[in-house]
């Protein structure tokens, strides 16, 4: 049986929104509006037909032994070389065997199906198989033309052979006509296109039906026997009409991918075929047609083997990996349709020595390095001496392919001075997981995406172009692995050991389950008593949670000790150390309720609640703190309540205990600081046995503990750098609560004690919380209280000038007030510059900052002769000055716009203490 044995696809990550073309050029060509929907696939500046063919072929080779491949047929009308076998470059990049037949198929859009048909017939004739067929096109179109809208860039690859056939070849029918609805003369950049109506009616509308009908007749089939009809046609309505003419029901017709990709030239029939194969079921019949100076129609029948095909990216995967852009000028630059100044560095010689290229072809085109036979160390490039200092063997290197090896970023830089089509030029050291490293360019990513440790994949790309001699240099670059950044952002507790008290039910159980799901080893503590803490206790709640964790592959141990006693606390911590050897996280969560109004509150009820909540936290935290100190890391979470923070009738014991925990946190945050032990407090709102009779039923339904978990776990993670804060969390809502202190009001004189009447007279001012602050500790509070008081009028004005800060936004005025204080005079020698800041958004405005004679002065308003003007949103400005947004990143991401002398703006980082 001969047929297709594997498939692969490639669609560039970049997609240009068609509305962007219309927005830029609609004034010139209003008719473009008719097709200005969806997006077209767009090559990055370093991609072309060859790089895309390599990518699709790699996808197709998934799970196959490439040493078996006996032929490579490459189809494209946009091959970079007229006389240098392009298929040979692809074969070298793929490290296919030297003894293969490589051939280029070109000069017609149906070259893709012609290459496929030729491969099938070659295999059928028994001459050779398997043969890899790859088709790719990156066609150039004139700006503001319909073809710019309709076309897309992409590639497809199919393996043809007689083993593990997934779609058996049933036959073909071909017609060849010199029908010229478009052509590209030798040496021309763009196609010349004839009238679209004629192409549609006389070309697509007649020739495709002729070939498909011919095929069906030849095979003795009717359209009823066909499950999928695959043919390209840029004219949406005609696509439907042709299907109708052939008697194919709309559901049988493969989508022409106009909305998601555009028409990819010679690759398009094959790309649509791959997309069809992705979901085709055994027994289904597929007819695929390729149009272009005639038409090839081929018939396949899907086999059972399709179910065994290893998963790959294919069309669906590439359609999902997309990054849209509305930047039409970027498109024009990437296509070389505009020639902006590239600077003198772009004139550096790029001539390739063919001798070196031949000698090093495996390394340069195939990314083949070496691996030491003695010690197994991989290295790039391959050399005579092993790089392993403990080995150092000579002449022990075998070939080692790096292209498909997992790798990560070790170092990176964004170089604005280096010549680049897509600045900044991004490059750095790539470290392969199994050994070996190389300096590589990064592509298909923004600078902001790069980070040390980010998993990357190697991709074959254009490196430089020698325009003088018409030569393109290819090499391998690194691109972030799909989903890698998200994976890196994932908050993991792998290797961490956590204790959750009261984890047998309610919130504690939810915390423990999620901690374990994210890799933590958990001590599930629960006494198993009644809601009011009475009863002998039970091991069941803790055991059940441990079982749940283990059943889903996590690690946990149960503990049934009572947090309300010092021995209980000791034992809980010991359980963690004995089972897992360390302790990183403690969630003090155990709780009971004994609600009564104060007059009815007997001492035992008062004490029982304080014992569990307040003393319980002390009993467990004390030994836990010691273990964390020894480990040099710790996260402690205390559990308060809205009843404590704000008050609730009938809960004086509970409220007192819960608010006392805030006091515990305030001091503990200071004691834990030098050991990286962070202490925070959560005020949850969740459905549990504690709240079942106090929450209205509809609220109880919605308030599942899982909605509180994200905040609790974040506060226990390495990512959390806050200590000493309180957070409300419930039903997916989160807020921070804090003890705020109003501006101090000084009464009396330096030598005069204020009177009670003074208080009465200034009662409103003392009560005024406008301009209130959070104070770091007792010392800060004492200093703040005695800070010279603003006069009533200025206090009010000051408060009014800071609405953004009070509302939780960025206090831009305060930043400028403090700017001169962060000025580094020693760095300003010889600097004479005026920065004009235009800050937009809430709290924004205009400020200028003049630096002259090593002094800095800041003034509100516009300077009449600024050296450079910096425009930013208030929030971004706050982040930049706060050190959270590096100025260079702000600039390259467009958050910071600079007018005037851009170079001078770089002084800001030197002249001020940022962060
Ligand atoms: P819950 O009753 O479902 O869970 C508390 C768990 O603590 C129980 O399994 C209980 O057996 C255990 N426990 C009680 N005393 C213990 C002790 N001495 N030693 C060990 N374990 C003990 O209640 P929940 O709603 O999940 O409450 C968890 C925490 O959240 C409590 O501290 C509670 O005060 C606090 N809280 C809850 C809410 C809410 O809306 N549910 C609101 C504010 C605060």
């Amino acid at each position: 049986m001969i047929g297709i044995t594997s498939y692969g696809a490639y669609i560039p990550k970049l997609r240009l929104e068609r509305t962007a073309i219309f927005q830029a050029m609609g004034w010139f060509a209003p008719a473009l509006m008719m097709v200005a929907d969806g997006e077209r696939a767009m090559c990055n500046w370093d991609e072309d037909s060859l790089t895309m063919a390599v990518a699709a072929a790699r996808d197709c080779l998934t799970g196959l032994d490439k040493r078996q491949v006996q032929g490579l047929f490459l189809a494209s009308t946009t091959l970079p070389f007229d006389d240098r076998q392009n298929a040979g470059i692809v074969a070298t990049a793929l490290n296919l065997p030297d003894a293969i037949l490589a051939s280029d198929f070109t000069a017609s859009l149906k070259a893709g199906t012609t290459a496929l048909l030729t491969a099938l017939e070659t295999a059928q004739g028994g001459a050779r198989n398997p043969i890899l067929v790859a088709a790719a096109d990156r066609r150039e179109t004139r700006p503001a033309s319909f073809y710019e809208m309709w076309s897309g860039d992409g590639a497809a690859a199919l393996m043809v052979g007689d083993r593990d056939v997934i779609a058996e070849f049933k036959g073909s029918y071909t017609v060849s006509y010199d029908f010229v609805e478009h052509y590209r003369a030798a040496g021309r950049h763009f196609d010349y296109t004839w009238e679209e109506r004629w192409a549609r009616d006389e070309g697509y509308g007649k020739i495709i039906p002729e070939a498909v009908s011919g095929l069906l007749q030849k095979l003795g089939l009717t359209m009823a026997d066909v499950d999928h009809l695959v043919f390209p046609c840029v004219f949406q309505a005609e696509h439907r009409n042709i299907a109708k003419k052939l008697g194919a029901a709309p559901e049988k017709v493969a989508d022409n991918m106009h909305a998601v990709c555009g028409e990819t030239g010679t690759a398009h029939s094959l790309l649509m075929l791959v997309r069809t194969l992705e979901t085709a079921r055994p027994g289904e019949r597929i007819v695929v047609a390729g149009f272009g100076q005639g038409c090839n129609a081929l018939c396949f029948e899907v086999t059972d083997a399709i179910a065994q095909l290893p998963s790959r990216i294919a069309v669906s995967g590439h359609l999902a990996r997309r990054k849209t852009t509305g930047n039409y000028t970027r498109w024009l630059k990437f296509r070389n349709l505009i020639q902006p100044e590239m600077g003198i560095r772009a004139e550096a010689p790029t001539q390739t020595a063919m001798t070196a290229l031949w000698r090093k072809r495996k390394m340069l085109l195939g990314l083949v390095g070496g691996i030491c036979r003695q010690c197994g160390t991989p290295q790039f490039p391959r050399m005579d001496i092993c790089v392993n200092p403990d080995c150092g063997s000579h002449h022990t290197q075998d070939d080692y392919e790096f292209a498909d090896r997992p790798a990560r970023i070790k170092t990176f830089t964004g170089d604005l001075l280096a010549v680049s089509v897509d600045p900044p030029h991004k490059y750095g050291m790539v470290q392969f997981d199994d050994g070996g490293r190389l300096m590589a360019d990064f592509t298909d990513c923004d600078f902001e995406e790069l980070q040390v440790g980010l998993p990357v994949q190697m991709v074959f790309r254009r490196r430089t172009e020698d325009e003088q001699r018409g030569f393109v240099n290819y090499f391998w670059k690194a691109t972030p692995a799909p989903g890698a950044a998200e994976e890196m952002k994932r908050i993991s507790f792998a290797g961490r050991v956590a204790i959750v008290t009261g984890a047998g039910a309610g919130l504690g159980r939810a915390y423990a389950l999620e901690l374990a799901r994210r890799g933590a080893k958990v001590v599930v503590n629960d006494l198993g008593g009644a809601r009011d803490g009475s009863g002998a206790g039970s091991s069941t709640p803790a055991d059940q949670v441990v079982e749940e964790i283990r059943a889903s592959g996590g690690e946990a141990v149960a503990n049934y000790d009572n947090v309300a006693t010092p021995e209980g606390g000791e034992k809980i911590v010991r359980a963690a150390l004995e089972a897992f050897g360390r302790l990183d996280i403690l969630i003090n969560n155990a709780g009971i309720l004994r609600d009564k109004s104060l007059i009815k509150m007997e001492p035992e009820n008062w004490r029982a609640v304080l014992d569990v909540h307040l003393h319980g936290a002390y009993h467990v935290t004390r030994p836990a703190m010691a273990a964390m100190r020894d480990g040099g890391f710790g996260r402690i979470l205390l559990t308060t309540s809205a009843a404590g923070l704000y008050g609730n009738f009938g809960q004086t014991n509970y409220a007192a205990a819960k608010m006392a925990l805030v006091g515990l946190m305030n001091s503990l945050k200071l004691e834990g600081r030098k050991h990286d032990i962070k202490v925070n407090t959560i005020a949850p709102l969740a459905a549990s046995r504690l709240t079942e009779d106090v929450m209205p039923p509809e609220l109880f339904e919605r308030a599942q503990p899982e909605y509180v978990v994200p905040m609790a776990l974040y506060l226990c993670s390495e990512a959390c750098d806050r200590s000493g804060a309180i957070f409300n969390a419930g039903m997916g809502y989160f807020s921070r609560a804090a003890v705020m202190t109003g501006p101090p009001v000084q009464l009396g004189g330096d030598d005069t004690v204020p009177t009670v009447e003074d208080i009465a007279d200034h009662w409103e001012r003392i009560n005024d919380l406008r301009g209130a602050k959070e104070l770091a500790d007792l010392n800060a509070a004492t200093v703040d209280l005695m800070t010279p008081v603003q006069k009533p009028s200025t206090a009010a004005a000051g408060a009014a000038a800071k609405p953004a800060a009070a509302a939780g936004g960025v206090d831009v005025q305060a930043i400028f007030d403090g700017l001169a204080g962060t000025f580094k005079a020693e760095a300003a020698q010889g600097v004479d510059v005026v920065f004009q800041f235009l800050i937009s958004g809430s709290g924004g405005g205009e400020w200028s900052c003049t630096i002259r004679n090593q002094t800095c002065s800041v003034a509100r308003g516009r300077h009449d002769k600024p050296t450079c003007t910096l425009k930013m949103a208030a929030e971004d400005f706050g982040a930049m000055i706060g050190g959270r947004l590096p100025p260079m990143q702000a600039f390259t991401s467009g958050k910071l716009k600079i007018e005037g002398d851009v170079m001078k703006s770089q002084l800001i980082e030197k002249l001020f203490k940022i962060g």
Side-chain angles (χ1 to χ4, degrees):
M1 189 197 295
I2 296 290
I4 295 169
T5 61
S6 181
Y7 59 74
Y10 181 75
I11 298 171
K13 188 175 172 189
L14 280 175
R15 312 291 155 79
L16 178 65
E17 291 160 0
R18 291 196 177 92
T19 46
I21 304 178
F22 177 72
Q23 271 161 11
M25 299 306 295
W27 61 273
F28 175 78
L32 288 179
M33 198 174 76
M34 291 190 297
V35 286
D37 60 330
E39 57 198 32
R40 56 155 298 162
M42 155 187 172
C43 274
N44 203 336
W45 68 270
D46 58 357
E47 294 186 289
D48 65 11
S49 302
L50 287 196
T51 66
M52 290 194 292
V54 169
R58 288 175 77 194
D59 195 32
C60 181
L61 285 164
T62 306
L64 296 181
D65 179 2
K66 58 189 178 183
R67 287 168 306 182
Q68 308 299 323
V69 178
Q70 298 191 3
L72 172 65
F73 294 172
L74 173 66
S76 175
T77 69
T78 52
L79 294 168
F81 294 96
D82 282 351
D83 187 352
R84 174 188 176 190
Q85 193 161 69
N86 298 278
I89 303 172
V90 174
T92 315
L94 294 171
N95 288 308
L96 295 182
D98 292 337
I100 60 162
L101 174 70
S103 188
D104 296 344
F105 288 69
T106 185
S108 165
L109 289 188
K110 75 171 184 318
T113 47
T114 305
L116 176 61
L117 183 53
T118 311
L120 288 161
E121 290 179 348
T122 307
Q124 245 172 358
R128 59 179 69 239
N129 94 66
I131 298 172
L132 178 57
V133 177
D137 251 333
R138 177 194 138 131
R139 290 177 303 157
E140 303 307 338
T141 48
R142 285 189 191 279
S145 67
F146 277 118
Y147 286 91
E148 187 180 47
M149 287 283 196
W150 284 327
S151 306
D153 304 325
L158 294 158
M159 189 69 85
V160 164
D162 61 1
R163 289 181 59 186
D164 301 324
V165 170
I166 59 165
E168 185 183 359
F169 177 48
K170 293 301 218 183
S172 70
Y173 188 88
T174 289
V175 290
S176 292
Y177 296 116
D178 186 31
F179 179 82
V180 192
E181 94 290 359
H182 81 278
Y183 67 91
R184 196 180 322 134
R188 294 295 183 106
H189 200 57
F190 300 111
D191 293 358
Y192 181 82
T193 52
W194 203 252
E195 199 191 341
E196 279 126 26
R197 198 161 45 100
W198 182 72
R200 192 185 63 203
D201 298 346
E202 290 299 308
Y204 286 92
K206 287 194 177 155
I207 297 174
I208 293 176
E210 182 189 349
V212 172
S213 303
L215 175 70
L216 294 180
Q217 204 178 349
K218 182 175 158 185
L219 299 178
L221 301 172
T222 68
M223 195 41 84
D225 303 313
V226 175
D227 299 287
H228 303 281
L229 180 59
V230 180
F231 65 95
C233 181
V234 286
F235 310 106
Q236 290 277 46
E238 194 58 18
H239 194 241
R240 287 191 294 273
N241 282 343
I242 293 171
K244 205 165 155 193
K245 215 181 266 183
L246 285 164
E251 63 274 13
K252 288 188 177 181
V253 185
D255 170 45
N256 72 355
M257 297 173 65
H258 168 80
V260 289
C261 167
E263 225 243 18
T264 59
T266 52
H268 209 56
S269 299
L270 305 191
L271 198 68
M272 291 169 69
L273 174 60
V274 170
R275 198 183 194 198
T276 305
L277 284 169
E278 278 188 69
T279 52
R281 286 189 301 268
E284 287 187 337
R285 226 174 252 129
I286 302 172
V287 167
V288 57
F291 175 79
Q293 285 82 57
C295 182
N296 299 313
L298 294 87
C299 180
F300 296 94
E301 196 172 306
V302 179
T303 73
D304 291 338
I306 200 153
Q308 270 76 56
L309 199 70
S311 78
R312 62 215 46 229
I313 311 167
V315 176
S316 54
H318 281 294
L319 287 178
R321 289 181 184 188
R322 57 196 262 280
K323 181 163 192 177
T324 52
T325 175
N327 188 340
Y328 184 68
T329 34
R330 193 163 182 234
W331 153 263
L332 292 177
K333 173 60 197 151
F334 282 14
R335 301 306 263 215
N336 223 4
L337 293 167
I338 50 172
Q339 281 82 42
E341 175 60 54
M342 296 294 284
I344 206 158
R345 284 186 172 87
E347 292 166 22
T350 49
Q351 186 176 15
T352 302
M354 300 304 158
T355 35
L357 178 59
W358 165 245
R359 264 200 317 274
K360 305 262 183 209
R361 65 190 181 282
K362 279 194 172 188
M363 175 184 115
L364 295 172
L365 294 180
L367 201 68
V368 175
I371 185 163
C372 176
R373 256 186 313 271
Q374 295 286 330
C375 70
T377 303
Q379 66 185 71
F380 189 92
R382 178 184 161 148
M383 285 183 300
D384 286 343
I385 304 169
C386 174
V387 286
N388 178 357
D390 298 330
C391 173
S393 303
H394 287 216
H395 306 294
T396 54
Q397 299 274 303
D398 289 331
D399 277 354
Y400 183 83
E401 284 184 39
F402 278 96
D404 293 325
R405 310 269 169 192
R408 282 162 206 278
I409 295 178
K410 192 152 178 66
T411 63
F412 68 93
T413 187
D415 189 340
L416 273 171
L417 294 177
V419 60
S420 171
V421 178
D422 189 19
H425 182 192
K426 301 168 271 294
Y427 56 91
M429 183 70 79
V430 168
Q431 170 77 51
F432 291 89
D433 290 359
D434 299 330
R437 51 171 71 167
L438 87 147
M439 282 298 283
D441 289 341
F442 297 114
T443 188
D444 280 357
C445 57
D446 292 330
F447 178 66
E448 293 69 34
E449 289 171 55
L450 301 178
Q451 52 180 314
V452 171
L454 184 75
V456 289
Q457 294 173 339
M458 303 310 292
V459 289
F460 184 70
R461 293 294 169 97
R462 289 164 83 96
R463 178 103 213 290
T464 54
E465 185 166 356
D466 180 353
E467 283 182 23
Q468 206 183 340
R469 297 167 196 84
F471 195 80
V472 181
N473 243 317
Y474 295 91
F475 190 55
W476 292 78
K477 299 184 184 180
T479 186
E486 291 71 27
E487 190 50 39
M488 276 193 77
K489 259 174 54 186
R490 191 183 136 82
I491 293 188
S492 163
F493 291 91
R496 297 285 178 206
V497 175
I499 291 174
V500 184
T501 67
L507 286 157
R509 173 180 165 273
Y511 300 154
L513 292 177
E514 189 59 25
L515 277 167
R517 214 171 283 134
R518 289 172 180 263
K521 296 172 184 147
V522 187
V523 174
V524 177
N525 158 266
D526 205 295
L527 181 67
R531 181 182 188 251
D532 64 0
S534 62
S538 153
S539 58
T540 314
D543 285 344
Q544 277 175 348
V545 174
V546 168
E547 233 168 81
E548 262 187 89
I549 290 175
R550 290 188 181 153
S552 46
E555 276 188 73
V557 291
N559 171 282
Y560 324 109
D561 285 301
N562 187 351
V563 299
T565 66
E567 308 76 51
E570 294 280 353
K571 282 195 195 156
I572 295 168
V573 172
R574 209 177 311 134
L577 299 176
E578 278 170 7
F580 306 121
R582 58 179 293 130
L583 177 63
D584 305 286
I585 295 160
L586 166 64
I587 304 186
N588 285 299
N589 166 80
I592 59 167
L593 281 184
R594 294 195 181 186
D595 295 351
K596 279 179 182 185
S597 58
L598 189 77
I599 292 172
K600 295 182 193 150
M601 178 82 68
E602 306 83 356
E604 66 266 28
N605 288 330
W606 175 268
R607 231 177 274 126
V609 165
L610 262 81
D611 276 348
V612 175
H613 291 278
L614 177 60
H615 303 145
Y618 158 72
H619 293 142
V620 191
T621 305
R622 187 168 171 241
M625 227 8 218
M628 290 174 183
R629 181 201 54 204
D630 295 347
F633 174 88
R635 295 289 181 268
I636 296 171
L637 188 62
L638 299 162
T639 306
T640 186
S641 159
L645 292 177
Y646 313 110
N648 195 27
F649 188 92
Q651 289 198 308
T652 47
N653 52 353
Y654 182 68
K658 286 304 198 191
M659 203 52 184
L661 291 167
V662 173
L664 171 62
M665 170 191 76
N666 284 338
S667 291
L668 205 54
K669 73 175 181 199
L670 305 172
E671 294 180 16
R673 193 182 280 164
K674 76 170 178 218
H675 307 293
D676 191 15
I677 299 173
K678 307 237 182 318
V679 193
N680 289 291
T681 301
I682 192 161
L685 178 67
S688 75
R689 72 173 181 175
L690 289 191
T691 48
E692 60 195 344
D693 57 358
V694 282
M695 261 192 199
E698 62 287 358
L699 205 64
F700 193 79
E701 277 295 297
R702 282 176 50 206
Q704 291 313 306
E706 286 67 27
Y707 286 93
V708 176
V709 171
M711 176 57 83
L713 262 66
Y714 180 76
L715 294 171
C716 292
S717 71
E718 279 168 58
C720 173
D721 58 3
R722 215 171 217 301
S723 194
I726 310 161
F727 296 92
N728 289 300
M731 295 186 291
Y733 297 94
F734 304 95
S735 66
R736 188 156 80 86
V739 175
M740 302 295 286
T741 307
V745 179
Q746 189 185 11
L747 302 178
D750 286 345
D751 300 322
T752 333
V753 176
T755 63
V756 180
E757 288 69 26
D758 284 337
I759 300 291
D761 289 347
H762 296 89
W763 187 236
E764 269 187 30
R765 267 186 59 202
I766 297 170
N767 270 282
D768 191 351
L769 276 177
R770 281 178 300 167
K773 280 195 247 136
E774 228 184 317
L775 299 163
D777 57 16
L778 177 142
N779 290 337
T782 313
V783 171
D784 183 77
L785 185 69
M786 295 184 305
T787 302
V789 192
Q790 291 176 317
K791 290 200 175 78
S793 55
T794 42
K802 297 179 183 177
V810 176
D811 192 342
V812 184
Q813 178 65 57
I815 293 175
F816 280 103
D817 286 347
L819 196 64
T822 68
F823 176 65
K824 295 190 266 180
E826 69 283 4
Q829 210 162 19
V831 176
D832 186 354
V833 64
V834 179
F835 299 117
Q836 176 71 56
F837 293 89
L838 305 182
I839 309 298
S840 58
S842 167
E846 299 172 353
W847 288 265
S848 71
C849 171
T850 305
I851 293 165
R852 197 159 290 150
N853 302 328
Q854 290 186 274
T855 61
C856 164
S857 58
V858 177
R860 217 182 154 112
R862 280 212 190 214
H863 194 279
D864 52 358
K865 273 193 185 154
T867 319
C868 62
T869 302
L870 297 95
K871 295 183 186 173
M872 262 188 130
E875 205 179 309
D876 296 332
F877 180 65
M880 188 176 86
I881 295 296
R884 296 183 303 283
L885 174 65
M888 181 57 76
Q889 191 178 324
F891 180 61
T892 53
S893 63
K895 287 180 176 166
L896 166 62
K897 296 203 169 59
I898 305 174
E899 285 167 10
D901 189 340
V902 179
M903 298 308 285
K904 286 277 184 340
S905 68
Q906 296 190 9
L907 289 171
I908 291 180
E909 257 183 298
K910 276 197 201 147
L911 295 173
F912 299 96
K913 287 188 213 99
I914 287 188

